[in-house]
């Protein structure tokens, strides 16, 4: 969250939020003035997030049921976090193009996922996506790589910013 500049008052999205582990942490980080959109394409995950948000008494989380190509995020986001979910995306370029539409011009996208190869927790080795493949897809969607960091022992972080020329080309 530090690498993405997530602070009090930020408007962020947790893409592929699953059960809401990162959503809860993001909500606490941006509170009391910020807002978190918890997006997932599975209705049962949205229901789980709704229950968790109620249990945790978080008033700054808005669950969103997205689609494989469109997360249905509102405009004006400071940051979109894709944590441990990129490898599950069916059409990452289309999805990232829709993410670009929701970001502020100075917004950022953070991708955290598992390092290719065997070892450690996470998806099967053949399901893991290389950082270079993610960088290529993000470039196709109108993003530039701003930061690349290993997260030892089994993960990596990529931070992207929208290219200034991409804002025009990604509009419908």
């Amino acid at each position: 969250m530090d690498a993405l500049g997530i602070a009090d008052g930020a408007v962020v999205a947790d893409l592929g939020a699953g059960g809401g582990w990162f959503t809860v942490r993001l909500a606490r980080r941006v509170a009391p003035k910020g807002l978190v959109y918890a997006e997932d394409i599975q209705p049962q995950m949205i229901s789980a997030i709704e229950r968790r948000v109620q249990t945790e008494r978080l008033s700054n989380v808005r669950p969103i049921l997205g689609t494989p190509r469109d997360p249905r995020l509102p405009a004006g986001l400071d940051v979109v976090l894709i944590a441990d979910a990129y490898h599950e995306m069916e059409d990452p370029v289309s999805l990232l193009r829709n993410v670009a539409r929701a970001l502020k011009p100075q917004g950022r996208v953070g991708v955290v996922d598992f390092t290719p190869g065997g070892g450690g927790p996470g998806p099967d080795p053949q399901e893991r996506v290389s950082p270079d493949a993610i960088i290529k897809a993000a470039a196709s969607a109108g993003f530039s790589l701003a930061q690349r960091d290993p997260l030892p022992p089994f993960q990596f972080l990529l931070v992207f910013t929208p290219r200034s020329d991409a804002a025009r080309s990604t509009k419908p």
Side-chain angles (χ1 to χ4, degrees):
M1 288 189 257
D2 290 342
L4 292 169
I6 298 172
D8 180 24
V11 179
V12 302
D14 182 5
L15 214 68
W21 192 88
F22 275 105
T23 299
V24 168
R25 282 143 187 84
L26 289 167
R28 289 184 180 138
R29 178 86 173 228
V30 303
K33 298 179 233 169
L35 185 60
V36 176
Y37 293 97
E39 185 275 348
D40 207 283
I41 64 170
Q42 298 179 48
Q44 64 270 32
M45 293 294 104
I46 296 300
S47 295
I49 290 168
E50 289 169 342
R51 287 189 304 274
R52 186 166 192 173
V53 165
Q54 187 175 23
T55 300
E56 303 265 350
R57 297 182 183 175
L58 298 170
S59 61
N60 62 342
V61 175
R62 305 291 179 273
I64 295 178
L65 181 63
T67 72
R69 291 181 176 212
D70 187 356
R72 298 180 174 157
L73 298 171
L77 298 177
D78 296 301
V79 176
V80 173
L81 175 64
I82 304 170
D84 303 334
Y86 185 92
H87 64 275
E88 295 182 22
M89 294 179 179
E90 295 174 20
D91 186 353
V93 174
S94 293
L95 191 77
L96 289 170
R97 283 185 180 138
N98 283 312
V99 165
R101 290 184 188 111
L103 280 177
K104 292 178 180 176
Q106 71 280 13
R108 293 165 308 285
V109 175
V111 178
V112 176
D113 223 310
F114 290 90
T115 305
D124 290 334
Q126 66 272 14
E127 294 177 11
R128 298 179 186 200
V129 181
S130 76
D132 291 335
I134 297 171
I135 293 166
K136 184 177 178 182
S140 294
F143 289 96
S144 296
L145 181 66
Q147 184 176 335
R148 179 179 182 163
D149 294 319
L151 300 176
F154 303 113
Q155 294 186 293
F156 59 87
L157 165 68
L158 303 173
V159 178
F160 298 97
T161 56
R163 289 193 319 257
S164 59
D165 64 321
R168 291 184 298 277
S169 64
T170 59
K171 301 269 186 219

